Amino acid sequence: MYSLEKIAEILSGKVFGDGSLEIKHIYTDTRKIQEKKNALFFAITTDKDDGHNYISQASNIGIKVFVVTQKPAIECSYILVKNSLQALHLLTEKHRENFQIPIIGITGSNGKTIVKEWVSHLLKESYVICKSPKSYNSQIGVPLSIWQLNSTHSIGIFEAGISKYDEMGRLADIIQPEIGMFTYLGDAHGNNFKSRRDKLLEKLKLFKNSKIVICSNTQKDVVNEIQKAKIKQFTWGFEPSSNVLVNHINEDLYRVQYQNKEVQLSLPFSDKASVHNTFTSIAAALYLGESLKSIEKKIKVLPNIDMRLQHVKGVLNSQLILDYYNADYQSITMAIDFLNQQKIEDQKCSIILSDILESSFKGKKLYKKINTLLSNNKVHELIGIGENIKKYKECFSIKSRFYSSTEAFLEKHPMHLLKNQMVLIKGARKFKFEKIAEHLKLKTHQTALHVNLSRLQHNVNIIKSKIGPETKIMTMVKALAYGSGGYQIAKLLEYNNVDFLGVAYTDEATRLKRAGISTPIIVLSPDLTDLTPYTETNIQPVIYNISCLQKVKNLNISIHIEFDTGMHRLGFERKDIDEVVATLSNQPNINVVSIFSHLAGADNHSLDYLTKKQIQEFKKISLEFENKSQLNPIRHLSNSAGIFRFPKAKMDMVRSGLSLYGISPVENQSKLLPVSCFKSYITQIRHIPAGEGIGYGHLDKVNYDRKIAIVAVGYADGYSRSFSCGKGSMLINGQLAKVVGNVCMDMTMCDVTSISCEEKNEVVIFGDHPTVEDLSKQIDTIPYEILTNISERVSRIFFQE
């Protein structure tokens, strides 16, 4: 901590008030204040806002000390300086000088945040890491990041971003990186520089005092400029001269060689940007002492970074991909990647695209490049918006229409042409494409379940790393994928090459097949009245008694046989094996794909004796069935709890359900991430006098005045009436608000007397905090029930990072 007097000395400023106050935390945004004690607020003036306007608000929150350029209008302690932003830079630069540890500075046009997070992931077992939060790489973000450094850290990893001339030198002085990393030189902010080389040279100022720069030697202009600056390089690439030599074997498999050692790495993705970022991160980890073997294990579970693309329902049975905050070539390719992952088989795709404002490519060269990209990805139609893209309309060979502005599109475009299509809405912020999104989005209940497909990907990777590549995986998507939504979840799982999808009933399977899912689907509780879906599509029923088995006789069909080992629900018993084998013996067209059983209490330590008994019983059943039938089916027993608690019971395949969606079957299994966030909003705020009750039954009377927020969610949305009268709580502006009165069909009342909030403010019902597990404990139920209770009238918004 620093005393206020010491900070004033560093800043060459003057203290007004108590100079002995100790400072530990610094803030520039009242919305992000978490720690009030020992906190200092910098009132920074920018071209968008003036921090001095928020001093009173910060004081009300609990901040007592400020750095200002003018005397505050309230009574407080403060340091008066000439420029608050420069003061922030000076203070954090001085703070940085206190640490003699390796500091990495990362820059580039794209991938800084991802590389920072992946390097941190690869080094986390060897170092105590201080790193930039999220994408804190600006003139304000970098100093706030550096301020986090303390004596416990053994390495710092910070990203630095610039958008114009003369920005990087200041960030270099603050970060003072010993080790530099350059990700990729792309188009972002290209319009703010005279040339691509100018932009590169500005970025390379970050490394003016660095000992070494880690980069790819695939970008020759970057390598050459670093050489001219006489800075040592540590490179990865496909040429023998690379320090880290990479060879592409096939698809997602690569051979990596370093210091006469090599490993083969299977990457969990195939897009070029992710591959590039992965090997840049690997090179940094190797330079800092990680072994190839260590990296081989960690690369399987690289974390996903929050850089979201949204998938929502549109009018006219369309689907919308929303990404309208920037428009450069690299981000367009990423958005099209996501579109290809999400679209239904043979679905037409169109793109609504604005002028490209951030690119080193210009004019015809730029738009011909865009045309090639769209053509190669079979985009049906381009709708160009902006004078620039319209000017170069002759560059596009694909079907296209052009409008000079967003308003012109909304007024003139025949919207019916978008019927049944997947539409990517991609544009720079200035075009305000949110207006287009609002016009095309299906108007539904604003209470929504936000489903993070990147976190689902992360959880799949965690599970795959747990079971190993030799074990198959069946992923459960029954009950709308545990409430998260059916097709989009199934599509991503299929994209990850899971072996089987699992549903409860036949109609769930047929819906997925109609949407284009090709992965085999196992139906756990099949209706065998109509066998057509099982003989004409790759839908496979579970057979659990002789009656079911008799119904599929003489058919060309794939089946899965269930045995009961202790659940005492569906399934054959061990004594039925002879009859099952006899029935199958003259049925050559019946393919027994797997045999399995269900664990009854793998998540319960007190039932470990039962789980072990079930494992042994199933092994005996499997052996007897195989010997008598002379078949070799897949064997599977482990559910999510079994995967994490009984790894030796993984057998040939596992079934992952709740763990996919981030609900840990094991306490303190923090690697899994919750996939869904259930959100609503405040429709009205009421002031209720003392002694008055709330809602139906006039309940929860108290002897003081209250402020009540009415939230647009009720038991018809899946928020149980059991949360009534204080049992439940929701997150409003970072604070938990207790439910008061009875939960109604369409709305719930919360006590926000001590919470600063307004109508239309967002309300989190569950997500990262509070969690699904928190809610299940509040009403003495299980997470499954919380998730699957969310009704279909609640919108599902899918997004990917």
Side-chain angles (χ1 to χ4, degrees):
M1 286 200 290
Y2 296 77
S3 71
L4 201 58
E5 284 283 4
K6 180 63 178 176
I7 291 175
E9 179 185 333
I10 293 169
L11 303 183
S12 301
K14 184 177 181 182
V15 176
F16 294 84
D18 185 357
S20 67
L21 290 171
E22 295 287 318
I23 301 300
K24 185 176 182 181
H25 310 286
I26 57 176
Y27 295 100
T28 61
D29 188 336
T30 55
R31 295 167 298 181
K32 298 176 182 177
I33 292 172
Q34 298 294 331
E35 301 287 342
K36 290 98 174 175
K37 188 178 180 182
N38 305 116
L40 175 64
F41 183 86
F42 281 75
I44 294 174
T45 302
T46 70
D47 57 356
K48 294 180 181 179
D49 213 343
D50 186 350
H52 295 83
N53 295 334
Y54 301 94
I55 289 175
S56 179
Q57 184 182 35
S59 177
N60 291 336
I61 292 171
I63 302 297
K64 300 183 182 303
V65 193
F66 300 85
V67 173
V68 296
T69 58
Q70 59 196 51
K71 182 180 178 181
I74 62 168
E75 286 293 321
C76 61
S77 296
Y78 61 95
I79 300 174
L80 191 63
V81 297
K82 292 181 179 179
N83 184 302
S84 297
L85 179 59
Q86 289 179 10
L88 178 66
H89 288 178
L90 280 170
L91 176 61
T92 50
E93 179 183 341
K94 190 68 176 179
H95 181 67
R96 160 65 182 94
E97 291 171 359
N98 294 329
F99 301 92
Q100 305 304 312
I101 60 174
I103 298 291
I104 300 174
I106 304 173
T107 195
S109 301
N110 309 93
K112 296 182 289 294
T113 301
I114 293 171
V115 167
K116 174 201 68 189
E117 294 297 334
W118 287 356
V119 172
S120 301
H121 171 75
L122 296 175
L123 296 178
K124 64 184 178 182
E125 293 177 7
S126 303
Y127 293 88
V128 179
I129 300 169
C130 181
K131 63 180 180 179
S132 310
K134 300 180 181 179
S135 296
Y136 276 38
N137 56 37
S138 67
Q139 298 292 309
I140 293 176
V142 166
L144 292 179
S145 301
I146 290 291
W147 185 256
Q148 297 177 109
L149 277 169
N150 63 54
S151 59
T152 66
H153 295 124
S154 57
I155 194 170
I157 308 175
F158 304 103
E159 52 179 298
I162 51 102
S163 58
K164 56 188 179 182
Y165 290 102
D166 301 321
E167 286 187 328
M168 190 60 87
R170 197 73 201 95
L171 299 184
D173 291 339
I174 298 168
I175 299 174
Q176 303 166 45
E178 173 186 326
I179 302 164
M181 289 185 69
F182 196 96
T183 57
Y184 190 84
L185 184 63
D187 298 336
H189 305 297
N191 57 310
N192 292 336
F193 295 89
K194 293 178 182 177
S195 67
R196 177 182 171 92
R197 183 171 182 266
D198 271 14
K199 181 172 67 172
L200 173 58
L201 292 176
E202 178 66 20
K203 289 181 180 294
L204 293 182
K205 289 178 182 178
L206 178 63
F207 313 134
K208 61 184 180 181
N209 294 313
S210 298
K211 294 180 179 178
I212 197 162
V213 175
I214 298 164
C215 62
S216 165
N217 61 17
T218 59
Q219 290 196 102
K220 296 303 179 186
D221 49 352
V222 175
V223 171
N224 291 340
E225 292 298 343
I226 295 173
Q227 286 175 343
K228 288 179 184 177
K230 297 182 180 180
I231 305 172
K232 187 178 178 182
Q233 296 180 62
F234 184 87
T235 63
W236 72 268
F238 304 96
E239 300 174 1
S241 60
S242 308
N243 297 94
V244 180
L245 180 61
V246 178
N247 290 293
H248 190 187
I249 300 172
N250 59 54
E251 294 182 352
D252 60 354
L253 191 63
Y254 295 81
R255 181 184 296 110
V256 181
Q257 297 171 289
Y258 178 63
Q259 293 185 343
N260 299 318
K261 295 181 181 179
E262 68 175 56
V263 294
Q264 288 190 6
L265 299 180
S266 179
L267 302 189
F269 31 65
S270 56
D271 64 284
K272 290 181 180 179
S274 295
V275 171
H276 187 100
N277 291 335
T278 300
F279 286 117
T280 302
S281 304
I282 288 172
L286 289 170
Y287 177 78
L288 285 156
E290 291 295 307
S291 69
L292 280 171
K293 283 293 181 186
S294 168
I295 290 170
E296 182 182 15
K297 294 177 183 176
K298 295 173 184 174
I299 215 73
K300 296 175 183 176
V301 288
L302 286 174
N304 288 302
I305 315 304
D306 187 13
M307 298 169 69
R308 66 178 55 184
L309 292 143
Q310 285 193 15
H311 178 187
V312 300
K313 288 183 179 179
V315 296
L316 302 170
N317 198 37
S318 65
Q319 302 286 322
L320 309 178
I321 304 294
L322 309 181
D323 184 18
Y324 39 71
Y325 292 106
N326 66 343
D328 60 75
Y329 184 79
Q330 274 73 29
S331 68
I332 294 169
T333 61
M334 293 174 189
I336 289 176
D337 272 352
F338 182 59
L339 179 145
N340 287 334
Q341 288 179 37
Q342 293 297 298
K343 72 177 182 179
I344 297 172
E345 190 175 13
D346 298 325
Q347 185 178 24
K348 285 183 179 179
C349 298
S350 293
I351 177 171
I352 301 173
L353 182 66
S354 77
D355 289 345
I356 309 301
L357 301 179
E358 299 182 2
S359 178
S360 56
F361 300 106
K362 303 295 179 186
K364 288 185 178 180
K365 184 177 180 181
L366 169 63
Y367 290 109
K368 283 183 177 179
K369 195 175 177 69
I370 295 293
N371 178 66
T372 301
L373 176 68
L374 302 184
S375 298
N376 290 346
N377 284 275
K378 300 179 181 178
V379 171
H380 169 67
E381 182 177 18
L382 164 70
I383 300 165
I385 296 179
E387 295 292 352
N388 201 35
I389 194 170
K390 187 177 180 181
K391 177 182 176 181
Y392 293 101
K393 61 184 179 181
E394 73 278 1
C395 296
F396 295 96
S397 60
I398 68 169
K399 182 180 178 182
S400 53
R401 295 169 185 260
F402 297 91
Y403 300 93
S404 58
S405 66
T406 300
E407 290 71 23
F409 165 80
L410 291 171
E411 180 183 347
K412 299 176 182 178
H413 188 77
M415 300 299 178
H416 68 275
L417 296 178
L418 299 174
K419 185 176 181 179
N420 298 324
Q421 290 197 40
M422 179 76 79
V423 183
L424 170 60
I425 302 175
K426 175 69 177 170
R429 293 188 186 191
K430 68 172 283 186
F431 286 89
K432 298 183 179 178
F433 273 13
E434 58 268 26
K435 292 181 180 179
I436 297 176
E438 191 60 33
H439 187 79
L440 294 179
K441 275 196 292 189
L442 187 65
K443 300 301 183 286
T444 57
H445 189 17
Q446 290 185 52
T447 294
L449 188 72
H450 298 251
V451 183
N452 188 330
L453 296 177
S454 298
R455 287 191 170 189
L456 181 68
Q457 171 82 64
H458 166 85
N459 294 340
V460 170
N461 292 340
I462 290 285
I463 294 161
K464 283 186 172 182
S465 69
K466 191 77 177 174
I467 63 177
E470 72 285 353
T471 305
K472 297 180 184 297
I473 182 170
M474 171 182 173
T475 52
M476 306 307 299
V477 293
K478 61 181 181 176
L480 276 179
Y482 289 55
S484 299
Y487 166 74
Q488 289 82 359
I489 301 294
K491 183 74 172 176
L492 185 134
L493 294 171
E494 181 171 81
Y495 186 76
N496 278 274
N497 299 312
V498 300
D499 298 283
F500 296 91
L501 299 172
V503 298
Y505 298 110
T506 309
D507 62 327
E508 294 178 289
T510 55
R511 278 199 299 270
L512 291 175
K513 286 297 179 184
R514 283 198 299 268
I517 297 297
S518 59
T519 301
I521 301 176
I522 300 174
V523 182
L524 298 176
S525 302
D527 177 0
L528 299 177
T529 306
D530 178 10
L531 292 166
T532 305
Y534 300 102
T535 56
E536 294 184 357
T537 59
N538 202 2
I539 298 174
Q540 303 170 1
V542 165
I543 303 300
Y544 50 82
N545 61 26
I546 289 296
S547 174
C548 293
L549 191 55
Q550 291 291 341
K551 288 180 181 179
V552 299
K553 281 178 66 175
N554 303 316
L555 295 176
N556 187 357
I557 192 170
S558 294
I559 66 171
H560 301 258
I561 297 175
E562 180 176 1
F563 286 94
D564 178 22
T565 57
M567 174 75 85
H568 302 322
R569 203 169 56 177
L570 299 177
F572 292 102
E573 296 180 15
R574 188 177 177 188
K575 65 181 177 59
D576 298 322
I577 289 177
D578 287 339
E579 187 175 3
V580 173
V581 171
T583 306
L584 291 170
S585 61
N586 60 349
Q587 298 291 320
N589 291 329
I590 294 181
N591 174 28
V592 181
V593 180
S594 80
I595 60 173
F596 71 100
S597 187
H598 278 285
L599 295 175
D603 58 341
N604 189 334
H605 289 267
S606 67
L607 292 177
D608 283 357
Y609 73 93
L610 173 61
T611 301
K612 292 173 183 176
K613 181 181 176 183
Q614 285 189 268
I615 293 169
Q616 292 307 313
E617 177 68 7
F618 185 64
K619 285 180 178 179
K620 292 174 183 177
I621 288 172
S622 301
L623 184 61
E624 184 176 345
F625 179 84
E626 289 170 5
N627 288 338
K628 291 182 175 180
S629 67
Q630 293 300 295
L631 299 173
N632 187 29
I634 297 167
R635 301 166 304 138
H636 50 109
L637 177 65
S638 286
N639 54 11
S640 289
I643 292 168
F644 287 92
R645 295 200 60 236
F646 296 91
K648 292 183 179 179
K650 64 182 182 179
M651 300 188 184
D652 304 316
M653 184 163 75
V654 297
R655 300 186 303 273
S656 178
L658 204 58
S659 57
L660 268 182
Y661 306 101
I663 312 300
S664 176
V666 181
E667 288 185 15
N668 300 320
Q669 176 49 255
S670 58
K671 290 184 179 180
L672 294 172
L673 298 174
V675 166
S676 300
C677 184
F678 192 13
K679 295 181 180 180
S680 187
Y681 63 100
I682 297 173
T683 56
Q684 188 178 14
I685 291 177
R686 301 293 310 280
H687 294 273
I688 309 301
E692 290 290 313
I694 307 293
Y696 290 115
H698 224 232
L699 304 174
D700 277 345
K701 296 176 182 178
V702 294
N703 59 1
Y704 52 85
D705 295 346
R706 286 177 291 178
K707 182 171 67 170
I708 302 299
I710 291 83
V711 182
V713 65
Y715 56 77
D717 303 298
Y719 191 68
S720 173
R721 203 164 183 270
S722 300
F723 289 110
S724 300
C725 298
K727 285 191 175 181
S729 56
M730 302 180 187
L731 194 70
I732 299 176
N733 277 353
Q735 298 182 58
L736 289 174
K738 282 281 187 183
V739 172
V740 290
N742 280 324
V743 173
C744 306
M745 181 181 287
D746 310 302
M747 60 192 78
T748 300
M749 291 69 71
C750 292
D751 188 338
V752 292
T753 305
S754 61
I755 299 174
S756 175
C757 57
E758 301 173 356
E759 292 175 4
K760 302 300 180 183
N761 278 177
E762 180 180 270
V763 177
V764 177
I765 300 153
F766 67 70
D768 289 341
H769 175 61
T771 64
V772 173
E773 294 97 323
D774 292 334
L775 268 67
S776 64
K777 289 174 184 175
Q778 288 169 6
I779 60 171
D780 194 26
T781 187
I782 56 177
Y784 296 84
E785 186 175 349
I786 301 294
L787 288 172
T788 58
N789 273 357
I790 299 172
S791 72
E792 291 196 50
R793 84 170 185 180
V794 172
S795 304
R796 268 70 174 178
I797 297 174
F798 301 91
F799 63 93
Q800 183 161 315
E801 296 157 355

